[in-house]
Amino acid sequence: LDLSGTALGWFPTGHAITGEGLKSGDALIGLPSSGIHSNGFSLVRKLLFEKLDMDFEEEFDSKPLIETLLEPTKIYVKEFKENKEKNIKDTLETKSYAEALSSFIQNCGTPLTIGVQGEWGSGKTSLLNMIQDNLLEASINQKKKRYGGEYRVIWINTWEHSVLKSPEESLISILEELVDTISAIDGSFAKAQKAKQFISQIAKGALRVGAQAALGSKAAQVTEEVLGGSSNSIKGLRNSLEDIITTIIKRKENPVERFVIFVDDLDRIDPKNAVEVLELLKNIFSVENCVYVLAIDYQVVVKGLQSKFGELTEDNEWEFRAYFDKIIQLPFMMPMGSYNLQTYLEDILVQTNFYTKKSVKNGPIVQFVKAIRQTIGNNPRALKRLANSLSIINIHWNIQKK
């Protein structure tokens, strides 16, 4: 007698773990198996009974074989979630800010753009990841005040789109990823093709003005011609996106209620190109049911706008700020002044083996933190660089002692 069983699970659309983002340096985590599991009993039968001629009562893995074979298949969702939560360390104590922003995103009017502002290395990406996890949890638990559906997250890494590409090619690449990701939710490929036709028209204009830029045209003029001169293409693309998103949200089979689009690593690309990405968002994505979360350094925007407004002075500062305020409806400054530097430093000093978990508590960590605040400051990435330097010094000193 053969028995067949099935385990079913549910998760929000688009949150499947496919391994596409794997890269060198990632950690591989293994979970202990509860037994043979349910996929492979044909092989088990052939190996244990036909080849080895075993009996159900024979000892196998310190117990009768029959008990081993009947061990229920374990579902690892609980262990996975616990492991994930353990590895998301909030040593800077920014969890409350992430929760507040997540709640705002779930209930705010749309369209809306949030600017998470902070200098390079201040922890913007970490905060965005915490917000994303909160939205995923809200989608699963359906803990919503006004909406009953799912928050569909799209993550745009502008740095990846800019590698080995011209600014114009980067913009087109971002557009195509957004269209492909949104349309794939319910197979709106016909409408996606229509949207891509407008992207193609924008691309042709971009190539033309890109050639002008290579011959010396100002970057601001190039951006305006790509995004302003091709107004019909821009308008057509925006209308196509609105059509796709509206269709997805209105369809009863789809649980999606709003899209949350994270735009990260703007401060890793050339300031001029970062401003072009902002122009893209400003001109195209004023679409209902969408919230945009930009991780951005205001100083990068200032540098990118100098070709348009000139060098920043007291007289023209309002122009830079006005440009930024037109794009960002909710500015949020990274709370670097309230970071828990002691806990953060203890953690990274243990990670880099400068201290052990026991010795770090007994070391001069309080005095160390005071010195850090007055010299290096509160930038988490700068503190990691310091910890790495201390680690290599410590390793070299221990080698010399031998």
Side-chain angles (χ1 to χ4, degrees):
L1 175 64
D2 281 337
L3 293 177
S4 177
T6 302
L8 299 177
W10 174 89
F11 62 90
T13 305
H15 291 290
I17 300 172
T18 63
E20 291 179 3
L22 289 177
K23 59 182 182 298
S24 177
D26 284 351
L28 180 63
I29 301 173
L31 297 175
S33 171
S34 63
I36 295 176
H37 282 197
S38 57
N39 55 339
F41 270 87
S42 296
L43 178 60
V44 168
R45 185 187 300 113
K46 188 175 185 66
L47 178 63
L48 298 183
F49 300 117
E50 294 181 18
K51 294 292 184 182
L52 299 180
D53 196 28
M54 293 187 68
D55 185 84
F56 280 127
E57 301 303 322
E58 289 188 45
E59 185 174 300
F60 185 90
D61 197 20
S62 303
K63 57 185 176 183
L65 176 59
I66 185 64
E67 292 184 18
T68 300
L69 296 178
L70 292 177
E71 181 71 30
T73 298
K74 186 172 183 178
I75 308 302
Y76 295 93
V77 173
K78 182 180 178 182
E79 283 78 5
F80 177 80
K81 288 183 67 177
E82 288 177 351
N83 183 74
K84 185 178 180 183
E85 290 167 0
K86 287 177 183 177
N87 283 279
I88 300 176
K89 294 183 178 180
D90 184 30
T91 50
L92 291 172
E93 296 185 0
T94 56
K95 181 181 178 181
S96 60
Y97 298 101
E99 290 177 347
L101 286 167
S102 302
S103 179
F104 179 84
I105 289 169
Q106 293 171 46
N107 296 284
C108 67
T110 62
L112 186 123
T113 303
I114 300 171
V116 177
Q117 303 173 50
E119 64 185 51
W120 175 86
S122 58
K124 298 187 295 295
T125 300
S126 297
L127 184 67
L128 261 59
N129 276 311
M130 293 174 70
I131 296 171
Q132 178 180 230
D133 288 338
N134 287 339
L135 292 173
L136 172 58
E137 193 70 24
S139 292
I140 294 173
N141 296 328
Q142 296 186 356
K143 294 178 180 177
K144 304 172 180 64
K145 296 177 182 178
R146 288 172 51 196
Y147 300 95
E150 173 194 327
Y151 307 118
R152 180 65 170 88
V153 170
I154 299 173
W155 193 286
I156 301 295
N157 187 309
T158 54
W159 168 252
E160 292 179 356
H161 284 282
S162 67
V163 175
L164 301 178
K165 293 177 183 175
S166 68
E168 295 78 25
E169 290 172 334
S170 299
L171 293 173
I172 301 306
S173 178
I174 290 171
L175 285 173
E176 289 180 339
E177 180 180 350
L178 281 168
V179 170
D180 287 340
T181 305
I182 293 172
S183 61
I185 291 176
D186 73 339
S188 302
F189 298 115
K191 293 179 179 179
Q193 289 305 312
K194 184 179 179 181
K196 285 190 174 183
Q197 289 177 4
F198 291 111
I199 293 177
S200 178
Q201 293 174 20
I202 297 170
K204 290 176 182 177
L207 290 173
R208 177 169 54 82
V209 296
Q212 293 177 5
L215 296 173
S217 297
K218 290 183 179 179
Q221 294 173 348
V222 170
T223 303
E224 286 181 10
E225 190 166 350
V226 172
L227 299 177
S230 303
S231 58
N232 290 334
S233 299
I234 298 294
K235 184 178 180 181
L237 176 59
R238 182 170 56 240
N239 290 340
S240 295
L241 283 169
E242 287 178 344
D243 188 21
I244 294 170
I245 290 172
T246 301
T247 300
I248 290 172
I249 289 175
K250 286 186 175 180
R251 187 169 293 171
K252 293 181 180 180
E253 294 82 0
N254 290 322
V256 180
E257 287 290 350
R258 62 177 50 190
F259 290 86
V260 183
I261 301 168
F262 292 94
V263 182
D264 193 21
D265 276 345
L266 278 168
D267 51 7
R268 287 187 66 187
I269 62 178
D270 186 271
K272 171 178 66 69
N273 298 347
V275 169
E276 290 183 6
V277 172
L278 290 176
E279 287 281 355
L280 172 79
L281 294 168
K282 182 183 74 172
N283 281 274
I284 296 175
F285 296 106
S286 54
V287 180
E288 290 293 326
N289 303 299
C290 291
V291 178
Y292 307 93
V293 185
L294 313 181
I296 192 166
D297 182 352
Y298 177 66
Q299 295 306 316
V300 170
V301 178
V302 169
K303 291 179 182 178
L305 288 173
Q306 286 178 350
S307 60
K308 187 172 185 177
F309 300 131
E311 292 291 327
L312 178 66
T313 65
E314 290 185 2
D315 294 330
N316 68 0
E317 182 182 4
W318 67 271
E319 292 183 289
F320 290 86
R321 181 56 65 181
Y323 176 91
F324 192 75
D325 290 344
K326 286 178 182 177
I327 297 175
I328 306 298
Q329 286 79 55
L330 175 64
F332 175 85
M333 288 296 300
M334 291 298 297
M336 294 177 63
S338 63
Y339 284 171
N340 187 334
L341 287 194
Q342 179 168 334
T343 303
Y344 183 74
L345 278 171
E346 286 178 359
D347 184 64
I348 60 176
L349 288 172
V350 170
Q351 286 183 24
T352 54
N353 296 316
F354 188 77
Y355 280 120
T356 64
K357 286 185 178 181
K358 184 177 180 179
S359 64
V360 73
K361 297 292 183 182
N362 302 323
I365 190 69
V366 176
Q367 292 78 7
F368 195 24
V369 169
K370 288 181 180 179
I372 290 295
R373 285 191 185 277
Q374 295 174 5
T375 53
I376 295 177
N378 298 348
N379 188 294
R381 194 163 297 171
L383 297 180
K384 283 185 179 179
R385 290 161 66 92
L386 171 66
N388 289 332
S389 298
L390 291 174
S391 178
I392 192 65
I393 291 171
N394 189 47
I395 292 170
H396 182 256
W397 182 71
N398 286 328
I399 291 173
Q400 282 190 320
K401 282 200 306 182
K402 295 178 181 179

